[in-house]
């Protein structure tokens, strides 16, 4: 007979004694269980004790999390969180430097536990730590020279404990003084400082900026871009990552009117070239967190274009109209400008109308009307002027080449530029907030100060080339734009390292090549519609679905590393989940760092029987997406979120590393529950495998026409003389 569901078998350790094997009744109060354990070892005052996990997490067992205890868990009897917090509160104020250092080291470790953190914060522990940081340097100024390593460790542990305590979200960031901010900023501004102190100081500044508008203003006064730049020129990628994170935070929280000013400062300090030299082109791989921060910086930089993208042109604004005049002047200066002064007003208007038609504007009389649509608004005109001034030869060639054609195959430069700018803004998602999980940065955008404009210049020349290759007319405009979008997207997926390399990739993606790729893809996904083929598909489909199901379950058995996200996007929070080989239990647990390869089952402490799973929910239905916070507002995170619901009010929350892993896990979990696999990945796999299987089965029928209907049954023969009796 199986044991009752409320009984959990565990081992409990106590220093200097043999571990006890014990059955815990989950219906009993936790205090009664602790008393029972203390009585077994003859320990008085059981209220001063608590149970905690004996693994590397050392998290306390509470009434809230006790249901997470599984059979076989190893626990440890230890001092209660309140007692521990009280003792450490006194120890960190010790006059002995060694005792103080040891106490701060313990505090940094214990502060990861929310139960202990709450007790320590109740003792006004955060204020004590901030006072130690504010006064510590002055108090121990003389000791620094003789005890520098000790002082550095002490400050490092203090800041670590502070970061861990604040990470729980119990205390508001708005409560900190200007003196504390100045002190933290001073650690960042020092040229020579311990790496661990610098790292934690940068992390604190980032959190201050992201979590409080008032603190953003105070931090912005204390920290300048010039003071952060030297940290990017070092070799420690973690410091570089935190530095870019602080810059991104300042950029993100800056008022709209100050963002352009900040961008100008970044340009003056040559941030882009420093990142390109010391980060992107450094002789080491870029880790996921750095890739994410570079992606965020890329998005925030492109979002500066949003204002121009959403600004309509005012047809009455002379300064804006002068830009259009300048486009006309650069293109037609040589052939028409000398006649302008002598001609009548009517002749000049007629000539301007003719030239604006040659420039490819839809409205020949008043081209300003072409720029009243948003997006792309004035951004399109800015791009056209940049192209005309910085790539003048290419601009004049394109305009004159198309204006001299009389066969209706001219490519309208004005209309093309407007639609192309709109398309590039869509591709780069200009105006959207950066995703919490995306790492998709493009190195080539860090190779030029005006990367978007240069991107446009390359693409407008591509559009003109593709137009000629397609021998397009104005009726084919949308078709050309679709081909150009495909060319640009395919080139971007290769992650070219420079704009020249991007241009080279596009050269290899001519219209002819795009047609070949499309034809190849169409052949691979060919959908035979004849009745015999459809019947064959129906027969094969269950086998293919079973194959896909086994692949999904095998991937769940291998497991996946998931990132724990919070407001600060800490890069050291990971957890791993995998399915047992017999497909009956999900094993999961926290990790100190991202694993290399599979994580063995025995290192994952927590278990969830598949039989206990009630449902799998995705997106907005997930409990962790209903909570207040930045994640809720992020579309991409919503698309990667799913949760397993079990027992009464328990859930296991996931945010997949990417869309592929999201599909693998949602498919696999649905398969375990006996439900259909509905992801896009399953549909694509099913189409691909079905197509391949049908082609393999039809190899012997190559070049034979398959009829739509079965052949008719022939008439009976007039006699059966052809039948022989073999006896």
């Amino acid at each position: 007979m199986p044991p009752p569901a409320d009984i959990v078998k565990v081992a409990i350790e106590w220093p200097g004694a043999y571990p006890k094997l014990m059955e815990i009744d989950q219906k009993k109060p936790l205090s009664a269980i602790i008393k029972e354990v203390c009585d077994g070892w003859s320990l008085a005052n059981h209220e001063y004790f608590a149970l905690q996990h004996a693994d590397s997490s050392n998290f306390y067992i509470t009434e809230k999390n006790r249901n997470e205890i599984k059979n076989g868990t190893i626990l440890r009897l230890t001092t209660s969180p309140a007692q521990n917090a009280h003792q450490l509160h006194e120890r960190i104020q010790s006059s002995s430097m060694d005792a103080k250092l040891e106490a701060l080291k313990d505090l940094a470790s214990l502060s990861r536990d929310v139960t202990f953190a709450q007790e320590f914060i109740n003792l006004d522990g955060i204020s004590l730590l901030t006072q130690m940081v504010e006064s510590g340097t002055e108090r121990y100024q003389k000791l620094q020279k003789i005890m520098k390593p000790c002082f550095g460790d002490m400050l490092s542990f203090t800041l670590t404990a502070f970061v861990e305590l604040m990470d729980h979200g119990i205390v508001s960031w708005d409560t900190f003084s200007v003196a504390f901010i100045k002190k933290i900023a001073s650690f960042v501004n020092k040229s020579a400082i311990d790496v661990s102190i610098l790292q934690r100081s940068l992390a604190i500044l980032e959190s201050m900026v992201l979590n409080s508008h008032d603190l953003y203003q105070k931090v912005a006064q204390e920290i300048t871009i010039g003071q952060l730049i030297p940290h990017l020129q070092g070799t420690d990628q973690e410091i570089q990552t935190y530095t870019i994170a602080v810059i991104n935070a300042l950029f993100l929280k800056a008022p709209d009117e100050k963002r352009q000013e900040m961008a100008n400062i970044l340009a003056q300090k040559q941030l882009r070239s420093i990142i390109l030299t010391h980060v992107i082109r450094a002789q080491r791989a870029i880790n996921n967190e750095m890739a994410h921060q570079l992606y965020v910086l890329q998005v925030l930089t492109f979002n500066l274009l949003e204002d121009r993208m959403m600004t309509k042109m005012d047809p009455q604004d002379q300064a804006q109209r002068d830009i259009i005049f300048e486009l006309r002047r650069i293109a037609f200066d040589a052939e028409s400008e000398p006649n302008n002064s002598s001609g009548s007003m009517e002749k000049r208007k007629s000539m301007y109308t003719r030239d604006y038609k040659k420039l490819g504007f839809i409205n020949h009389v008043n081209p300003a009307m072409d720029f009243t649509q948003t997006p792309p608004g004035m951004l399109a005109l800015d791009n056209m002027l940049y192209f005309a001034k910085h790539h003048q030869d290419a601009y004049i060639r394109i305009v004159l080449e198309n204006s001299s054609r009389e066969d209706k195959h001219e490519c309208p430069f004005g209309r093309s530029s407007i639609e192309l700018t709109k398309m590039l803004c869509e591709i780069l998602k200009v105006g959207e907030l950066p995703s919490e999980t995306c790492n998709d940065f493009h190195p080539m955008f860090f190779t030029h100060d005006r990367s978007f404009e240069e991107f446009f210049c390359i693409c407008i020349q591509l559009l003109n080339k593709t137009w000629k290759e397609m021998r397009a007319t104005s009726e084919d405009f949308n078709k050309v734009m679709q081909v150009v979008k495909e060319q640009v997207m395919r080139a971007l997926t290769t992650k070219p390292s420079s704009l020249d390399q991007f241009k080279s990739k596009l050269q290899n993606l001519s219209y002819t090549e795009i047609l070949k790729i499309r034809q190849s893809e169409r052949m691979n996904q060919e959908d035979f519609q004849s009745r015999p083929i459809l019947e064959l598909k129906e027969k094969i489909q269950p086998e293919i679905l079973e194959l896909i199901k086994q692949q999904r379950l095998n991937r769940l058995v291998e497991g996946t590393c998931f990132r724990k996200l919070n407001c600060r996007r800490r890069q050291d929070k990971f957890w791993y989940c995998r399915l047992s080989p017999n497909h009956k239990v999900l094993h999961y647990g926290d990790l100190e760092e991202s694993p290399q390869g599979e994580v063995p089952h025995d290192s994952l402490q927590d278990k969830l029987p598949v039989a206990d799973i009630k449902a799998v929910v995705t997106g907005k239905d997930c409990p962790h997406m209903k909570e207040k916070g930045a994640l809720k507002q992020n579309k991409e995170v919503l698309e990667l979120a799913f949760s397993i619901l079990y027992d009464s009010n328990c859930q296991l929350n996931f945010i997949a590393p990417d869309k592929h892993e999201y599909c693998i896990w949602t498919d696999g979990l649905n398969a375990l529950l006996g439900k259909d696999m509905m992801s896009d990945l399953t549909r694509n796999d099913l189409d691909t495998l079905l197509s391949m299987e049908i082609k393999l089965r039809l190899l012997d029928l190559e070049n034979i026409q398959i009829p739509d209907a079965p052949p008719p049954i022939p008439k009976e023969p007039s006699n059966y003389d052809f039948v022989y009796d073999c006896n």
Side-chain angles (χ1 to χ4, degrees):
M1 183 177 175
D6 295 318
I7 302 298
V8 184
K9 295 182 178 181
V10 299
I12 301 179
E13 299 176 343
W14 172 251
Y18 287 110
K20 278 189 174 183
L21 295 177
M22 187 173 176
E23 290 186 353
I24 291 179
D25 186 350
Q26 292 285 35
K27 290 181 179 177
K28 274 188 180 182
L30 191 59
S31 57
I33 294 170
I34 293 170
K35 184 177 186 306
E36 186 181 337
V37 174
C38 289
D39 290 345
W41 274 310
S42 303
L43 298 172
N45 301 322
H46 72 274
E47 63 272 12
Y48 293 153
F49 292 92
L51 292 172
Q52 68 178 178
H53 287 282
D55 58 16
S56 57
S57 69
N58 293 329
F59 288 162
Y60 281 100
I61 305 297
T62 64
E63 290 291 355
K64 286 184 179 180
N65 65 22
R66 61 183 295 177
N67 288 328
E68 296 175 11
I69 302 174
K70 307 297 180 185
N71 282 316
T73 302
I74 302 175
L75 304 178
R76 181 188 299 120
L77 185 67
T78 186
T79 315
S80 70
Q83 193 74 2
N84 229 340
H86 189 77
Q87 291 172 0
L88 278 172
H89 193 271
E90 292 180 352
R91 286 170 58 201
I92 61 175
Q93 299 179 71
S94 169
S95 57
S96 165
M97 290 287 284
D98 290 337
K100 191 168 192 166
L101 179 62
E102 197 61 34
L104 286 168
K105 185 177 179 180
D106 291 342
L107 179 63
S109 175
L110 283 167
S111 295
R112 291 181 301 163
D113 183 271
V114 66
T115 312
F116 170 84
Q118 184 69 69
E119 295 291 347
F120 189 77
I121 289 168
N122 290 343
L123 296 171
D124 210 15
I126 293 281
S127 297
L128 178 59
L129 292 179
T130 55
Q131 289 168 17
M132 289 171 64
V133 171
E134 288 173 25
S135 62
T137 40
E138 284 78 11
R139 186 177 176 186
Y140 298 111
Q141 196 103 34
K142 295 177 182 178
L143 292 172
Q144 264 191 284
K145 294 179 181 177
I146 56 172
M147 299 184 69
K148 192 170 183 180
C150 180
F151 174 77
D153 288 344
M154 188 179 294
L155 185 55
S156 174
F157 288 133
T158 305
L159 295 177
T160 302
F162 176 83
V163 168
E164 295 291 353
L165 291 168
M166 292 303 298
D167 238 12
H168 298 296
I170 299 169
V171 179
S172 168
W173 283 93
D174 288 309
T175 56
F176 299 108
S177 66
V178 175
F180 180 70
I181 297 168
K182 285 178 178 288
K183 185 60 66 177
I184 297 297
S186 72
F187 299 145
V188 173
N189 294 337
K190 282 183 182 177
S191 55
I193 189 85
D194 185 79
V195 171
S196 60
I197 295 172
L198 176 59
Q199 183 196 75
R200 285 151 184 78
S201 298
L202 288 166
I204 291 168
L205 291 177
E206 182 199 1
S207 291
M208 284 179 171
V209 172
L210 291 177
N211 288 289
S212 167
H213 179 68
D214 290 340
L215 288 185
Y216 154 73
Q217 294 176 321
K218 293 170 184 174
V219 171
Q221 290 172 358
E222 297 299 326
I223 293 288
T224 65
I225 300 301
Q227 291 162 333
L228 292 171
I229 292 290
H231 301 312
L232 290 172
Q233 294 171 316
T235 56
D236 189 318
Q237 190 171 112
E238 207 164 355
I239 294 297
Q240 291 174 326
T241 303
Y242 275 104
T243 303
I244 297 177
V246 172
I247 293 171
N248 285 339
L250 290 168
F251 216 144
L252 190 63
K253 292 298 178 179
D256 292 342
E257 65 275 9
K258 284 194 175 181
R259 281 187 189 168
Q260 189 58 58
E261 181 186 328
M262 186 175 172
N264 295 336
I265 295 170
L266 294 178
Q268 289 171 10
K269 298 296 182 181
Q270 298 184 317
L271 176 72
R272 178 198 58 76
S273 59
I274 289 169
I275 288 175
L276 183 67
T277 304
H278 296 279
V279 178
I280 296 174
R281 292 182 177 170
Q283 299 299 313
R284 62 176 180 272
I286 293 176
N287 61 36
N288 287 339
E289 185 63 22
M290 174 60 86
H292 172 75
Q293 294 300 341
L294 291 173
Y295 153 79
V296 172
L297 182 59
Q298 173 185 293
V299 171
L300 294 176
T301 304
F302 284 142
N303 280 357
L304 293 170
L305 304 169
E306 184 183 13
D307 183 50
R308 294 294 281 174
M309 181 180 79
M310 300 308 292
T311 300
K312 294 181 180 181
M313 185 170 186
D314 180 2
Q316 307 306 317
D317 190 319
Q318 188 59 43
Q320 294 180 359
R321 293 174 64 190
D322 285 346
I323 299 176
I324 297 177
F325 291 147
E326 181 67 6
L327 288 172
R328 182 201 155 276
R329 186 195 66 76
I330 294 172
F332 304 114
D333 176 62
E335 61 182 52
S336 58
E337 197 65 32
N339 300 325
N340 283 355
S341 56
S342 58
S344 67
M345 181 63 71
E346 288 299 319
K347 283 185 179 179
R348 290 178 65 186
K349 280 187 177 179
S350 174
M351 183 175 63
Y352 282 172
T353 301
R354 184 198 68 201
D355 288 347
Y356 291 146
K357 183 178 180 181
K358 288 180 179 180
L359 278 169
F361 290 112
I362 296 173
N363 193 317
H364 308 150
V365 178
N366 186 5
M369 299 304 295
D370 287 16
F371 300 96
T372 54
Q373 179 191 356
T374 58
M378 287 296 291
L379 184 60
L381 188 58
D382 295 342
N383 283 339
M384 293 166 73
L385 183 64
Y386 181 90
F387 181 51
K389 286 189 169 183
H390 293 83
H391 299 270
Q392 197 170 105
D393 291 345
Y395 167 70
I396 293 172
R397 187 185 73 250
I398 287 175
V399 173
L400 296 184
E401 186 180 275
N402 287 290
S403 64
S404 62
R405 300 184 71 169
E406 298 294 337
D407 55 2
K408 296 185 180 180
H409 288 288
E410 67 276 3
C411 176
F413 173 74
R415 183 185 176 192
S416 298
S417 297
I418 292 166
E419 288 301 317
L420 180 65
T421 301
K422 183 179 178 181
M423 185 185 81
L424 297 182
C425 288
E426 288 172 358
I427 290 173
L428 297 176
K429 299 180 180 178
V430 174
E432 291 187 21
L433 284 174
S435 161
E436 291 284 344
T437 57
C438 187
N439 301 331
D440 189 26
F441 82 98
H442 293 277
M444 73 177 193
F445 292 130
F446 290 86
T447 62
H448 201 284
D449 289 327
R450 303 287 293 275
S451 59
F452 183 80
E453 289 87 343
E454 288 294 324
F455 186 42
F456 168 83
C457 293
I458 293 170
C459 292
I460 193 65
Q461 293 176 74
L462 167 73
L463 192 153
N464 188 64
K465 172 174 168 284
T466 302
W467 185 283
K468 287 190 289 185
E469 289 173 350
M470 293 176 69
R471 293 193 55 77
T473 62
S474 57
E475 288 81 14
D476 302 316
F477 188 85
N478 290 334
K479 290 180 182 176
V480 175
M481 293 305 297
Q482 287 172 6
V483 173
V484 170
K485 184 173 184 178
E486 187 173 346
Q487 289 171 314
V488 172
M489 294 290 284
R490 287 185 183 277
L492 284 177
T493 54
T494 64
K495 292 289 179 73
S497 59
S498 66
L499 289 164
D500 286 338
Q501 198 177 84
F502 174 67
K503 195 186 299 184
S504 176
K505 297 282 184 188
L506 290 176
Q507 289 292 331
N508 297 327
L509 284 169
S510 63
Y511 176 57
T512 308
E513 186 62 28
I514 290 293
L515 284 180
K516 287 180 183 176
I517 293 170
R518 285 180 175 180
Q519 186 178 5
S520 173
E521 290 177 350
R522 200 159 42 240
M523 286 177 65
N524 289 335
Q525 298 172 1
E526 192 172 5
D527 187 18
F528 301 106
Q529 295 301 321
S530 62
R531 204 175 86 189
I533 301 300
L534 292 175
E535 288 177 0
L536 181 59
K537 271 190 174 183
E538 285 181 22
K539 184 180 177 183
I540 296 172
Q541 186 161 317
E543 300 173 23
I544 301 296
L545 283 171
E546 182 61 29
L547 188 66
I548 294 171
K549 175 183 172 182
Q550 290 305 318
Q551 187 272 340
R552 300 293 191 264
L553 294 176
N554 288 341
R555 278 289 291 106
L556 264 60
V557 170
E558 290 175 18
T560 302
C561 179
F562 296 93
R563 185 185 294 274
K564 285 190 173 182
L565 289 180
N566 59 25
C567 60
R568 290 190 54 253
R569 189 180 162 88
R570 291 286 302 284
Q571 64 179 29
D572 54 346
K573 304 286 185 181
F574 297 96
W575 69 288
Y576 200 88
C577 188
R578 63 180 297 183
L579 181 65
S580 63
N582 62 5
H583 300 174
K584 291 187 177 180
V585 179
L586 282 172
H587 298 263
Y588 62 97
D590 292 343
L591 299 175
E592 292 298 321
E593 57 186 2
S594 183
Q596 303 297 321
E598 289 184 23
V599 175
H601 292 100
D602 52 11
S603 65
L604 302 173
Q605 300 295 325
D606 300 308
K607 298 177 185 178
L608 172 60
V610 172
D612 290 352
I613 298 177
K614 306 294 185 212
V616 175
V617 294
T618 61
K620 292 180 180 178
D621 296 327
C622 296
H624 58 314
M625 291 295 106
K626 293 177 181 176
E627 298 166 3
K628 292 182 180 179
L631 293 180
K632 182 183 175 185
Q633 303 162 3
N634 196 294
K635 179 183 168 187
E636 289 194 39
V637 171
L638 275 175
E639 291 176 352
L640 298 175
F642 62 98
S643 297
I644 294 173
L645 307 183
Y646 63 98
D647 291 344
S648 51
N649 288 312
C650 299
Q651 69 266 341
L652 197 57
N653 297 321
F654 298 76
I655 295 176
D658 51 50
K659 191 67 177 176
H660 182 268
E661 286 296 321
Y662 169 84
C663 292
I664 290 286
W665 274 86
T666 52
D667 282 344
L669 292 170
N670 280 324
L672 285 172
L673 298 178
K675 296 181 180 179
D676 292 337
M677 299 178 290
M678 304 297 292
S679 74
D680 294 339
L681 184 63
T682 291
R683 282 194 291 274
N684 293 336
D685 287 351
L686 182 61
D687 290 344
T688 303
L689 292 170
L690 265 178
S691 176
M692 288 173 61
E693 184 64 23
I694 286 172
K695 286 177 181 177
L696 284 170
R697 295 195 182 197
L698 297 179
L699 278 177
D700 291 338
L701 299 178
E702 195 171 355
N703 299 324
I704 296 176
Q705 184 68 36
I706 299 173
D708 290 332
I713 299 172
K715 293 180 182 179
E716 287 195 27
S718 57
N719 62 66
Y720 291 87
D721 292 345
F722 55 85
V723 178
Y724 296 95
D725 188 355
C726 299
N727 294 326

